[in-house]
């Protein structure tokens, strides 16, 4: 799979590179339906729509100077939930990851929120020459929220921008990691019991693996070239992340090495060390099964 599949629509040449169960009698069926309808109404009242968490923020593009509204998450509005074991953040009612890319609708310059304003004049020149010259706007006007597909497209465009502007290995790796997490999020919304959705889910899982591996390789290179913090993460956090990713790819020796760094670190948090200890137990259990 091409890392930049689905980007052709942007005009960039570089884009190449639940049925209810049947009851025994009609009375029970009707009663069940009434109760279900009541429950659904309650759910609709309790669960706020995704747009309630979104705030349009005025942003100026550092490449072309265009001023536009970028969708951002309202500060303090979302509640964090328990993250995945590889530190993928989870939030109540919304996948905030979908809104961490700012993309200029005019020239195509795109980057993660924390990096959008961090661009040199030389990098802006490269973006104009290799992205903007072929960019075609496709995002719909008035789109209140982003679907997973739209969010993934925006991240891929950001990844392409990072490569074109010769960004850091860590920036490319972190973008790939977040794309993998988005594919995981999309897969979570799909059912194994519906044939059409199962096919899409399997494709999402394959794509997640592809970008996950790119992220793993990228972070491995980054720690030998860059100073910490890397992408806002301290050394122990990156070490744990790499340990988990190595374990995922069945590289237990490498995983154990990174875990050792976390467990012996004087600056690693108690939470990070607890995560490392849990992962260590998983590696030991896996080795015993062999």
């Amino acid at each position: 799979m091409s890392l930049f599949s689905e980007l052709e629509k942007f005009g960039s040449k570089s884009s190449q590179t639940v049925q209810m169960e049947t009851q025994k009698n009609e009375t029970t069926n009707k009663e069940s339906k009434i109760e279900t309808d009541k429950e659904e109404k309650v759910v609709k009242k309790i669960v706020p729509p995704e747009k309630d968490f979104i705030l349009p923020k005025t942003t100026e593009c550092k490449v072309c100077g265009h001023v536009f509204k970028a969708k951002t998450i309202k500060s303090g509005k979302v509640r964090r939930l328990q993250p995945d074991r590889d530190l993928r953040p989870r939030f109540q009612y919304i996948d905030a990851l979908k809104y961490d890319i700012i993309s200029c609708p005019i020239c195509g310059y795109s980057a993660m929120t924390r990096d959008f304003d961090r661009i040199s004049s030389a990098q802006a020149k490269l973006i104009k020459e290799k992205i903007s010259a072929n960019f075609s706007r496709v995002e719909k006007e008035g789109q209140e929220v982003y679907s997973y597909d739209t969010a993934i497209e925006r991240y891929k465009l950001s990844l392409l921008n990072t490569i074109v502007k010769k960004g850091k290995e860590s920036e490319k790796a972190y973008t790939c990691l977040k794309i993998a997490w988005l594919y995981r999020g999309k897969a979570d919304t799909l059912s194994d019991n519906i044939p059409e959705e199962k096919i899409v889910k399997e494709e999402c899982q394959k794509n997640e693996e592809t970008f996950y591996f790119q992220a793993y390789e990228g972070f491995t290179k980054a720690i030998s070239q860059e100073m910490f913090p890397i992408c806002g993460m301290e050394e122990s956090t990156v070490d744990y992340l790499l340990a988990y990713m190595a374990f995922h790819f069945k590289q237990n020796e490498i995983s154990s090495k990174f875990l050792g760094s976390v467990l012996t670190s004087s600056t690693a948090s108690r939470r990070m060390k607890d995560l490392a200890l849990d992962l260590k137990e998983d590696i030991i259990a896996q080795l015993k099964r062999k």
Side-chain angles (χ1 to χ4, degrees):
M1 184 200 77
S2 169
L3 295 184
F4 303 108
S5 60
E6 304 161 3
L7 286 188
E8 287 80 4
K9 64 181 71 178
F10 291 109
S12 173
K13 295 180 181 179
S14 298
S15 65
Q16 292 176 345
T17 16
V18 180
Q19 287 179 333
M20 294 173 62
E21 293 182 359
T22 303
Q23 304 297 320
K24 292 183 178 180
N25 58 72
E26 291 185 356
T27 302
T28 306
N29 261 336
K30 292 177 181 178
E31 291 175 349
S32 296
K33 188 178 187 306
I34 291 172
E35 288 302 314
T36 300
D37 289 343
K38 287 180 180 180
E39 289 176 4
E40 288 179 349
K41 288 179 181 179
V42 170
V43 170
K44 289 179 181 178
K45 290 180 181 179
I46 294 176
V47 180
E50 190 167 311
K51 64 180 182 179
D52 285 2
F53 299 95
I54 309 305
L55 177 72
K57 181 181 179 181
T58 301
T59 306
E60 181 181 351
C61 178
K62 302 302 180 182
V63 172
C64 70
H66 177 64
V67 177
F68 60 101
K69 298 287 186 179
K71 292 180 177 63
T72 60
I73 299 296
K74 292 181 180 179
S75 179
K77 183 74 174 180
V78 296
R79 185 168 76 87
R80 278 184 174 270
L81 304 176
Q82 184 73 17
D84 289 354
R85 294 188 65 193
D86 62 356
L87 307 181
R88 176 204 172 197
R90 286 186 180 268
F91 303 86
Q92 189 177 36
Y93 306 132
I94 188 173
D95 189 339
L97 287 172
K98 294 192 293 182
Y99 300 92
D100 199 23
I101 291 293
I102 297 178
S103 182
C104 177
I106 300 302
C107 72
Y109 169 53
S110 308
M112 278 189 275
T113 303
R114 66 188 301 275
D115 298 319
F116 191 75
D117 290 340
R118 302 173 183 174
I119 182 170
S120 67
S121 57
Q123 290 176 320
K125 185 173 183 291
L126 289 171
I127 297 299
K128 287 179 181 178
E129 294 173 350
K130 300 184 179 182
I131 300 289
S132 304
N134 306 297
F135 181 72
S136 298
R137 180 176 183 174
V138 297
E139 192 169 306
K140 297 178 181 179
E141 290 281 1
Q143 191 174 5
E144 290 186 309
V145 299
Y146 293 144
S147 65
Y148 274 107
D149 289 339
T150 296
I152 289 169
E153 287 179 355
R154 291 166 62 83
Y155 270 89
K156 287 183 177 180
L157 184 56
S158 174
L159 178 59
L160 182 59
N161 270 262
T162 303
I163 293 172
V164 164
K165 70 180 183 182
K166 301 178 182 180
K168 294 180 179 180
E169 287 292 340
S170 60
E171 189 179 347
K172 289 181 282 187
Y174 203 28
T175 305
C176 284
L177 178 60
K178 289 194 171 187
I179 293 174
W181 285 343
L182 285 171
Y183 274 118
R184 186 186 306 174
K186 181 180 177 180
D188 287 344
T189 69
L190 302 170
S191 173
D192 287 320
N193 300 320
I194 302 175
E196 294 82 2
E197 290 193 8
K198 184 177 180 180
I199 293 172
V200 178
K201 185 172 185 176
E202 290 173 349
E203 187 64 26
C204 284
Q205 292 167 338
K206 290 179 182 177
N207 290 336
E208 178 188 348
E209 286 295 299
T210 298
F211 282 95
Y212 208 60
F213 187 72
Q214 291 294 321
Y216 176 53
E217 286 197 323
F219 277 121
T220 300
K221 292 178 183 177
I223 60 173
S224 66
Q225 302 172 3
E226 303 174 28
M227 299 291 289
F228 288 95
I230 288 178
C231 296
M233 296 182 286
E234 298 298 333
E235 186 171 3
S236 59
T237 304
V238 176
D239 283 346
Y240 171 78
L241 177 59
L242 281 169
Y244 187 88
M245 297 178 86
F247 171 72
H248 175 82
F249 291 115
K250 304 187 187 313
Q251 298 178 2
N252 290 334
E253 189 174 337
I254 294 175
S255 181
S256 297
K257 177 183 175 183
F258 283 117
L259 285 179
S261 296
V262 177
L263 294 172
T264 58
S265 172
S266 60
T267 59
S269 66
R270 182 69 262 170
R271 171 178 169 273
M272 200 57 62
K273 290 193 175 187
D274 286 343
L275 287 171
L277 286 171
D278 288 342
L279 183 54
K280 181 179 178 181
E281 290 300 317
D282 288 343
I283 293 175
I284 292 172
Q286 189 179 88
L287 292 174
K288 286 182 178 179
R289 288 195 294 268
K290 287 185 177 181

